[in-house]
Amino acid sequence: FWKTLGRCAELFAAMAPRGSKRASSAAASGLGTKRRPAAEERPVLAKCDAIGKALLAADPAVVPTSVAKMLAPMLRHSLGAVKEGRHEFQASVVDMVGDLLQTISVATQQAVEEAQGQIDGIDADRAARHAVLAAAQDALPTLQAAVAARKDVEAAAKATLSEANEKAAVATEAESLDKFSYDQAAAQVAELRAVLEALAALKGASADSSKEGKHQHKQLAHVSHKYALDTTLVEAVLKVLKREPEARQSFDLVSLGIFEESLSKLLKDFEERLQLHEAPQAEKAAAARAATEAAEAAEGAYGQSEAADKAAKEAERDGAQAIKAAQKRVGKWLHDTKVVMDGLDAKKQALEAFREGPLKLFDELKDLQPEPEPVEEVETEMPPTADVAPAPAVAEGDALAAATA
């Protein structure tokens, strides 16, 4: 189809008249020019134009606009030509136009039938609109009851969440306090162990022999004062640790032994305290973990409750809007019916106008015959007539006598 149409378009473009300088000169002088006949001078051209307008005015879904624009200018050169003189491509254009006009007619007839189907179903449409309204009205109380029921559920979920958050806060605080004591005891144990390690290192070397030794000596002094060890003992030990190991006396070694024993006893006490904290700390940590998880679960349940409450309210709102929409459609039934009826009348008129207009004109032109040659009238001379003398006048009496004779 498109290939044939394109070939026809090329052919008709080649057939279109082209101007020239000589023709322009002739036209300017008014000699040897032949004016293209206007549509009003040739009824055939007017009919072709009317069919072209029908193609251009057709629904693009029925006749593509590009097709109509290509075919309309070809009508004068194809449908306007006599059937016997048409070229192959001119005949193809006529066939295509005929098919398209039939397609338009069928589509218009279908539109009429669809509109008639709507008219035939107006009573059912009215009943359906009322049924939709009744269903929406019946559904609204259920939706309202669901919203009311959700209020109690949401209040319970909110109370559960508040209680769970409070328990989680208490458990977390208890865990934190116990953890502080546990961490404190653990720090003391670590500190005392480090001091004993420093003391062991200083037993074999003087505190003044290295930077590390001086640091360990200060660490021992700090811990001794921190835990309130015997001041005399601490001072004696600190002096002993600054001496070289071989320069230390027996008393010095006894002092170091007592000092080390004091630190070991202190470490043992803190280790026992730490051990006592371990079980309660684990229990409180587990309780805090459980309370936190319960609070998170309650928060999730409350979130779901809020979402369900929101959905119930939206459903209630949609139900109320559905009633309004249904009432509006019930109220518009008469108006809509009139619109459909008016549309049916308009479609029938359009179908009749198309069939009596473009379609009928096409039927007249598709088998166009040449116009008959005009017959010239020949004037004949009348033969001359002889002079005839007028009849003599007859008297009235003589005329009567002659009539009765």
Side-chain angles (χ1 to χ4, degrees):
F1 173 82
W2 287 102
K3 185 176 180 180
T4 302
L5 185 58
R7 185 70 185 90
C8 292
E10 293 175 1
L11 179 62
F12 284 112
M15 293 170 58
R18 294 180 173 83
S20 64
K21 293 183 179 180
R22 183 174 297 177
S24 300
S25 301
S29 61
L31 300 176
T33 59
K34 186 175 182 180
R35 183 173 58 85
R36 184 183 182 187
E40 58 270 14
E41 295 179 5
R42 286 191 60 192
V44 171
L45 301 183
K47 294 176 181 180
C48 292
D49 293 344
I51 295 172
K53 289 180 181 179
L55 291 176
L56 293 171
D59 185 355
V62 179
V63 178
T65 304
S66 57
V67 174
K69 288 183 177 180
M70 290 182 69
L71 286 176
M74 302 180 189
L75 293 177
R76 286 192 173 194
H77 302 290
S78 55
L79 196 59
V82 295
K83 182 177 181 180
E84 290 76 6
R86 290 172 185 163
H87 186 272
E88 176 186 354
F89 291 109
Q90 290 175 312
S92 297
V93 170
V94 173
D95 292 340
M96 284 187 283
V97 171
D99 292 340
L100 290 176
L101 292 176
Q102 287 298 327
T103 302
I104 296 173
S105 179
V106 170
T108 309
Q109 178 64 40
Q110 289 177 347
V112 170
E113 292 173 357
E114 290 174 0
Q116 184 62 53
Q118 290 180 323
I119 296 298
D120 296 340
I122 56 175
D123 292 333
D125 177 59
R126 183 172 182 273
R129 296 189 186 199
H130 280 279
V132 170
L133 175 59
Q137 290 173 336
D138 292 342
L140 185 60
T142 303
L143 299 175
Q144 292 172 336
V147 171
R150 287 301 316 166
K151 292 181 179 178
D152 296 336
V153 175
E154 186 176 3
K158 188 175 183 179
T160 301
L161 175 61
S162 177
E163 182 180 358
N165 285 335
E166 185 176 352
K167 288 181 178 180
V170 172
T172 301
E173 184 178 2
E175 181 202 14
S176 299
L177 291 175
D178 195 73
K179 190 174 184 302
F180 176 77
S181 300
Y182 178 84
D183 292 344
Q184 190 177 29
Q188 290 170 336
V189 167
E191 186 179 38
L192 289 172
R193 286 175 179 172
V195 167
L196 285 171
E197 291 177 0
L199 178 61
L202 292 178
K203 282 182 179 181
S206 171
D208 293 333
S209 63
S210 66
K211 185 177 181 180
E212 180 66 19
K214 292 179 180 179
H215 173 72
Q216 292 171 340
H217 190 270
K218 289 182 179 179
Q219 187 178 10
L220 284 170
H222 170 72
V223 170
S224 299
H225 291 296
K226 179 178 179 180
Y227 294 103
L229 296 181
D230 185 82
T231 306
T232 304
L233 178 63
V234 171
E235 291 178 355
V237 168
L238 293 176
K239 290 179 180 179
V240 169
L241 292 175
K242 288 186 176 182
R243 299 173 190 160
E244 294 295 337
E246 58 274 11
R248 295 171 186 170
Q249 303 295 322
S250 299
F251 182 76
D252 297 336
L253 297 177
V254 172
S255 300
L256 287 175
I258 296 173
F259 182 70
E260 184 177 9
E261 185 179 350
S262 300
L263 289 175
S264 297
K265 184 177 181 303
L266 189 60
L267 173 61
K268 184 179 179 180
D269 292 342
F270 280 113
E271 286 177 340
E272 290 176 354
R273 188 183 305 176
L274 181 63
Q275 189 175 5
L276 291 175
H277 277 291
E278 285 180 353
Q281 171 62 25
E283 291 177 1
K284 290 179 180 179
R289 223 172 15 251
T292 301
E293 291 174 356
E296 291 175 352
E299 185 175 1
Y302 180 67
Q304 292 178 353
S305 177
E306 280 188 321
D309 181 68
K310 182 180 179 181
K313 290 179 180 178
E314 289 179 352
E316 180 187 18
R317 183 169 59 252
D318 293 343
Q321 292 177 350
I323 291 177
K324 291 181 180 180
Q327 289 173 338
K328 186 176 181 180
R329 291 196 74 239
V330 168
K332 286 186 62 181
W333 176 82
L334 187 60
H335 172 269
D336 294 343
T337 301
K338 182 180 182 302
V339 170
V340 173
M341 289 182 173
D342 292 343
L344 176 61
D345 294 339
K347 289 179 175 64
K348 286 181 177 180
Q349 293 173 3
L351 179 60
E352 182 66 20
F354 180 78
R355 287 176 174 174
E356 292 299 319
L359 197 58
K360 188 173 182 180
L361 294 176
F362 177 80
D363 290 338
E364 294 176 2
L365 296 179
K366 66 180 180 178
D367 298 323
L368 183 64
Q369 300 299 320
E371 296 180 2
E373 296 292 335
V375 179
E376 296 182 359
E377 295 182 359
V378 179
E379 295 182 1
T380 57
E381 295 183 0
M382 296 296 295
T385 57
D387 293 337
V388 179
V394 181
E396 181 179 353
D398 296 338
L400 180 61
T404 57

